[in-house]
Amino acid sequence: MTIHISWSAQHHDVIQARYPGNWTWEEVWQAKLIGDAMIEQVPWPCGMLIVLDDPMRIPPGVLTNGAQIMDCMHPRMRHVVLVSDNLLVRNLVRLLAGVFPTMPFTLSMVPTIDQAVLQLRNAGFYSARKPELAVVSAAAVAGDSSTYVRA
């Protein structure tokens, strides 16, 4: 599998998924299963940081697969931040977010990893004090980003 998935910090509350330039939807589904198993190992809500190394390389089927993945996110996933500055990716994320306006997690996109980490920190992640098992409030999201859905 070319997608690398791991805990982003020692506190085990943010999963980082790094997508290389050449990935498949089968690998995304494998990574999702691994991420879900990781979340099951901790009792608190988690965030996710998704890094697209080459945002111009997205396999066909993004709308179908993206919608299916968003529809079956782990119930303790609270905040997903996609790192990319690609306009096409931004529009695809907006489209998917529009299909699922009542998601129980926040989905946003920022251009840098530093901004993603800041956004997740402001939402209570990367901390020994764990976020409560509740939907992240819009007030917890800060920084210069595009947040598409706030539950």
Side-chain angles (χ1 to χ4, degrees), residues 27 30 36 64 66 82-83 98 100 122 128-129 146:
E27 291 172 314
Q30 281 182 300
D36 286 353
T64 302
L82 181 68
V83 179
F100 293 92
N122 288 340
R129 185 171 85 58
S146 298

Side-chain angles (χ1 to χ4, degrees), residues 10-13 42 44-45 124-133:
Q10 66 181 358
H11 302 296
H12 291 192
D13 60 356
V42 298
W44 46 76
F125 296 100
Y126 291 110
S127 168
R129 185 171 85 58
K130 299 299 174 222
E132 304 214 4
L133 189 55

